Amino acid sequence: MPIADTHKSGVLFVFAAGVLWSTVGLGIRIIEDAVVWQILLYRSISMSLFLYVVIRMRSGVSPFTQVRSIGFPSVIAGLSLVAAYSGGIYSIQNTSVANAMLLFATAPFMTAVLGWVVLRERVRVATWLAIAVAIGGIAIMVADKSGSVVLKGSLAALGSAFGFAVFTVALRWGRTGEMLPSVFLSGVFAIVVTFAICLFSGLPVTLNLHDGAISMGMGVFQVGAGLILYTLGSRSLPAAELALLSLAEVMLGPLWVWFFLGETASANTLTGGAVLLVAIAGNALSGKRRKPPPITLP
């Protein structure tokens, strides 16, 4: 395939992944009774089964075999995603989708700082400036939420972003660009953890048909299919373009709940979110000026 066509396909795949990921808020909003651990249990079951089939079809090798080849970094990556999933669902259940989605978008900045601390990766000056601007945006967003349940939701969203940052750094530590085996492992871990939590806290492990279907549908279409599209598309795009395309998820998430459910965001969320988006876009655009990595075909 010509490089230009490969690039266009990459843009399409990554954007489509962002569209699928952006539906998480809508999916959780239309859940009727299930709480975070029940949702995560059913979502993880369907996601793990789906990814197992896809990985076997793509590679001809069991994902467990691939996980063993990555080693301990894959375990860290998997566990960090369990924390990220839990924080993400809890945050959407306890704050606005706009607030949660915008705070999720801080993950690349956390990844940069964590990579600098753990792996001694160099952080550009432009990224440090963007991080400072992003912190200002976050401060505006949470300024009117002190002492409320909504503040816990905001902190959970930041915790979720940190979990994704740990996941990314763990993959770099393991020197692997293949994320699907570690995501599969995170689903297995999540099944064990959430089942145990439900069992010991007295939560039923059976859901009504409505909640169970939505939770399992999110595992296949929202998480699983989104990850596969992102994996296919990211191979032909530089990091700066990936960061810009990731804004589709952040922008569309609040749009879905506004259009279908009439949910709006506070003035602080919109103001701080605008500052945060400027920081993300500015950092990505500054990175585009650098020579992108060569495009390699699988």
Side-chain angles (χ1 to χ4, degrees):
M1 182 183 292
I3 289 177
D5 291 340
T6 301
H7 181 270
K8 290 179 181 178
S9 298
V11 170
L12 179 62
F13 286 151
V14 172
F15 180 78
V19 173
L20 290 176
W21 288 338
S22 71
T23 62
V24 61
L26 181 62
I28 292 173
R29 277 288 183 270
I30 59 179
I31 293 284
E32 294 175 344
D33 302 312
V35 299
V36 54
W37 307 117
Q38 296 167 311
I39 297 171
L40 185 52
L41 172 61
Y42 277 74
R43 194 179 78 169
S44 299
I45 290 172
S46 61
M47 181 189 76
S48 299
L49 292 173
F50 179 68
L51 289 181
Y52 183 89
V53 172
V54 169
I55 293 170
R56 282 301 297 255
M57 290 179 64
R58 285 184 68 211
S59 64
V61 178
S62 167
F64 290 106
T65 301
Q66 296 187 21
V67 165
R68 283 196 297 270
S69 68
I70 300 172
F72 186 64
S74 184
V75 175
I76 298 298
L79 290 173
S80 67
L81 278 186
V82 176
Y85 298 151
S86 304
I89 296 173
Y90 179 87
S91 65
I92 291 175
Q93 289 188 321
N94 289 277
T95 186
S96 70
V97 170
N99 192 63
M101 297 295 286
L102 286 163
L103 291 175
F104 293 161
T106 61
F109 294 141
M110 294 186 184
T111 301
V113 174
L114 197 60
W116 173 64
V117 172
V118 177
L119 304 178
R120 299 302 178 188
E121 295 179 343
R122 178 179 172 271
V123 180
R124 297 181 300 123
V125 174
T127 299
W128 284 119
L129 292 174
I131 290 172
V133 174
I135 290 173
I138 293 170
I140 295 171
M141 291 171 67
V142 302
D144 62 343
K145 301 175 176 63
S146 179
S148 67
V149 174
V150 181
L151 177 60
K152 293 181 181 179
S154 297
L155 294 175
L158 289 172
S160 178
F162 182 74
F164 283 114
V166 174
F167 167 74
T168 303
V169 171
L171 290 184
R172 291 178 184 170
W173 175 36
R175 300 185 184 279
T176 175
E178 182 59 70
M179 70 173 73
L180 292 184
S182 295
V183 176
F184 166 78
L185 185 62
S186 76
V188 175
F189 285 156
I191 292 170
V192 175
V193 170
T194 54
F195 182 81
I197 291 175
C198 289
L199 196 63
F200 287 106
S201 62
L203 288 170
V205 293
T206 56
L207 299 181
N208 63 55
L209 181 61
H210 176 270
D211 288 0
I214 292 174
S215 298
M216 297 193 77
M218 286 195 295
V220 173
F221 299 104
Q222 184 255 319
V223 182
L227 280 168
I228 292 167
L229 288 171
Y230 183 86
T231 299
L232 293 173
S234 61
R235 293 177 175 179
S236 59
L237 298 178
E241 285 193 55
L242 289 174
L244 287 173
L245 288 169
S246 71
L247 296 181
E249 176 189 0
V250 180
M251 302 296 288
L252 289 174
L255 182 63
W256 300 137
V257 292
W258 169 76
F259 184 79
F260 289 103
L261 304 176
E263 179 178 314
T264 58
S266 69
N268 279 51
T269 294
L270 295 176
T271 303
V275 173
L276 181 57
L277 290 176
V278 166
I280 296 169
N283 182 61
L285 290 171
S286 69
K288 284 178 71 68
R289 291 198 293 268
R290 300 188 303 167
K291 183 179 179 181
I295 297 175
T296 57
L297 299 179

